[in-house]
Amino acid sequence: MKEEQFKLTDIGLIPKDWACLPLGNIGSVKMCRRVMKHQTSEFGDVPFFKIGTFGNRPDAYISRSLFDRLRNKYSYPTPGTILISAAGTIGRTVIFGGEDSYFQDSNIVWIDNPQEIVTNMYLYYYYSIAKWQTENGGIVVRLYNDNLLSTKIACPSIQEQERITDALSDIDKLIKSLKSAILKKSRIREGAVRELLTGETRINGYSGKWLAKNLGESATIKARIGWQGLTTNEYLDSGDYYLITGTDFSDGGIAWEGCHYVSKDRYEQDPYIKIKEKDVLVTKDGTIGKVAYLDHIPGPGTLNSGVFVIRTNDRELSQRYLSKVFISKYFDAFIDSIVAGSTIIHLYQKDIVKFNFQVPPSIDEQDAICNVIEDMDNDIRSLKKKLNKYLKIRSGMKQQLLTGKIRLTL
């Protein structure tokens, strides 16, 4: 790699030996022929994509005969073409793989690029940093042909384009493999949680009948009561007393760095909801049933009105295992029964005390189950941390390589 001398262009500083070209110099804008609603169906031969489903699940299907007629008579992308969203999320891209599928007219477009000046893969990456704007520099709310064709890109030689895209493709492959590993391990974890927390699978060395428990009898349940009237106007950006809300729950714990704070008076107002280590927190408003186990706390804190604090008073039930009960199928089924047919989703204390579940007969087995689940959680968390690291690296690579700030030499 080497640093380079630059020249000032309409898109900023680029290397002196690079060109600044409008996309109109590369090719013309193409789109598929319009398909009418009555020509689509819920099921069929060929998937049909609209802008909202672009690159994901098809919106509908069209018949094979219609697909063949439209593809052969009108514009249709060739394999490797970079499809662009012209509405919605402006500039979102998909590499067309040549599979049988059809695309909504005018909202999904592409440049008919002979690849003599710019490769499709270079376009694919460059679109992610392109500045889509109107001729007078305004914000584009829809990518019309003139916006697209007048958009300028930094253009190195074909050979350098290939070096750039090879480097970005390599890190994309790594990111894809990490996402695949996270998905695979998450599915394994989901199955293990289901079986371990119901006794379908027992850890070696443990036996005996599981114990039936009721939450109201096995734990105390507290929350900020309504008359205390804590409002968002009282949330502080800094302070000595953390305020935990439902939006602070993350990966079975609390994302402390995102928490707000409250005054000392608000913290002291209710001793029952002052947080302690090993507390189990459960959300009761919005996305109900999110759980956090406070294996450590960075300082004193309290709760807003949307969170329960639950503490076991049952010697046969560990606090740590209690936190896992709330990710079990027992609690999923309980929540489903509570919210069935309801338009307002809220978990009341009068309801949660009725929650029934089963637990292993010994604290040792409960801890062993927690160890297995937490080991899997830590493994997945480590992969996610690694993924976020490489996503940031890729973002920086795009900005450096696609603007020529860093050059890749032979």
Side-chain angles (χ1 to χ4, degrees):
M1 297 183 184
K2 65 175 183 177
E3 294 187 1
E4 188 58 51
Q5 298 298 313
F6 294 93
K7 61 183 177 183
L8 183 61
T9 68
D10 292 340
I11 55 174
L13 293 172
I14 64 173
K16 287 185 175 180
D17 59 331
W18 285 23
C20 174
L21 296 176
L23 290 176
N25 284 22
I26 295 169
S28 57
V29 178
K30 300 290 185 181
M31 64 191 72
C32 286
R33 186 74 172 184
R34 186 178 184 185
V35 171
M36 307 301 290
K37 185 176 181 179
H38 71 269
Q39 295 175 299
T40 67
S41 58
E42 186 177 357
F43 303 100
D45 302 321
V46 179
F48 174 66
F49 292 90
K50 289 187 177 180
I51 197 67
T53 52
F54 184 41
N56 298 300
R57 295 182 179 179
D59 181 79
Y61 291 84
I62 61 175
S63 67
R64 171 63 61 179
S65 59
L66 177 61
F67 172 70
D68 288 340
R69 178 166 60 85
L70 294 175
R71 177 180 57 176
N72 294 330
K73 189 174 181 179
Y74 302 104
S75 297
Y76 190 74
T78 57
T81 295
I82 311 303
L83 305 178
I84 314 167
S85 61
T89 305
I90 302 295
R92 186 156 55 106
T93 56
V94 169
I95 303 172
F96 180 59
E99 63 279 359
D100 287 352
S101 52
Y102 206 74
F103 309 94
Q104 180 175 327
D105 62 295
S106 75
N107 285 339
I108 300 174
V109 300
W110 66 93
I111 297 290
D112 184 20
N113 177 28
Q115 301 194 77
E116 295 172 354
I117 302 174
V118 181
T119 68
N120 279 336
M121 284 305 298
Y122 185 81
L123 281 182
Y124 171 71
Y125 286 115
Y126 199 92
Y127 285 153
S128 66
I129 69 163
K131 297 178 180 178
W132 308 106
Q133 59 186 34
T134 62
E135 289 185 3
N136 59 7
I139 297 174
V140 171
V141 295
R142 180 184 174 81
L143 199 56
Y144 293 102
N145 287 9
D146 57 344
N147 302 131
L148 186 60
L149 294 175
S150 63
T151 295
K152 294 180 179 179
I153 67 170
C155 187
S157 67
I158 291 289
Q159 292 75 18
E160 189 165 359
Q161 291 176 39
E162 290 173 347
R163 292 197 293 272
I164 291 170
T165 57
D166 284 347
L168 294 174
S169 294
D170 285 345
I171 196 167
D172 275 350
K173 289 174 185 175
L174 177 58
I175 288 170
K176 184 178 180 179
S177 69
L178 285 169
K179 287 180 177 179
S180 178
I182 291 168
L183 179 60
K184 180 179 179 180
K185 289 179 180 291
S186 296
R187 287 173 175 169
I188 292 172
R189 185 252 190 202
E190 183 180 341
V193 164
R194 181 181 64 251
E195 295 179 3
L196 288 170
L197 294 178
T198 57
E200 294 176 39
T201 296
R202 301 290 288 272
I203 295 176
N204 289 339
Y206 295 99
S207 60
K209 186 177 180 180
W210 281 35
L211 308 176
K213 297 292 179 180
N214 167 265
L215 188 64
E217 296 173 355
S218 296
T220 60
I221 306 164
K222 299 294 182 180
R224 181 174 291 275
I225 53 182
W227 64 263
Q228 293 175 356
L230 180 67
T231 68
T232 56
N233 291 332
E234 299 176 83
Y235 292 10
L236 306 175
D237 292 331
S238 61
D240 298 320
Y241 304 97
Y242 287 94
L243 175 68
I244 297 174
T245 72
T247 60
D248 300 319
F249 285 55
S250 177
D251 286 334
I254 297 298
W256 298 103
E257 67 278 3
C259 286
H260 286 90
Y261 300 83
V262 290
S263 66
K264 182 178 181 181
D265 287 344
R266 279 302 200 181
Y267 168 72
E268 297 286 1
Q269 186 176 31
D270 190 340
Y272 295 109
I273 58 172
K274 291 180 179 179
I275 58 171
K276 304 174 183 177
E277 285 192 0
K278 299 185 180 180
D279 273 347
V280 177
L281 308 182
V282 177
T283 55
K284 62 190 184 76
D285 290 308
T287 305
I288 65 173
K290 290 192 294 184
V291 62
Y293 176 63
L294 305 187
D295 56 352
H296 76 282
I297 57 176
T302 186
L303 311 174
N304 81 340
S305 59
V307 181
F308 285 125
V309 57
I310 303 174
R311 296 163 181 150
T312 181
N313 53 24
D314 187 336
R315 292 184 178 180
E316 297 177 322
L317 173 62
S318 80
Q319 191 75 359
R320 185 180 172 210
Y321 188 82
L322 177 60
S323 70
K324 301 298 184 278
V325 169
F326 293 102
I327 61 172
S328 71
K329 75 174 187 179
Y330 297 122
F331 194 63
D332 290 341
F334 176 73
I335 292 297
D336 288 343
S337 70
I338 293 295
V339 303
S342 175
T343 56
I344 300 177
I345 301 178
H346 182 91
L347 184 58
Y348 294 97
Q349 189 156 342
K350 66 180 179 64
D351 294 320
I352 197 172
V353 295
K354 301 174 185 176
F355 174 44
N356 297 314
F357 53 96
Q358 294 187 340
V359 301
S362 73
I363 296 296
D364 283 347
E365 185 175 3
Q366 293 175 28
D367 286 342
I369 290 173
C370 291
N371 289 338
V372 172
I373 294 173
E374 289 169 9
D375 283 347
M376 290 187 290
D377 287 341
N378 289 334
D379 193 16
I380 293 169
R381 195 173 294 117
S382 177
L383 286 173
K384 287 181 176 178
K385 184 177 180 180
K386 192 173 183 180
L387 173 62
N388 288 333
K389 172 186 173 182
Y390 282 107
L391 287 171
K392 290 178 181 178
I393 290 173
R394 180 181 66 176
S395 178
M397 285 177 65
K398 284 183 179 180
Q399 290 297 328
Q400 295 294 312
L401 295 177
L402 294 168
T403 57
K405 301 295 188 299
I406 296 294
R407 305 288 293 271
L408 299 179
T409 57
L410 289 174

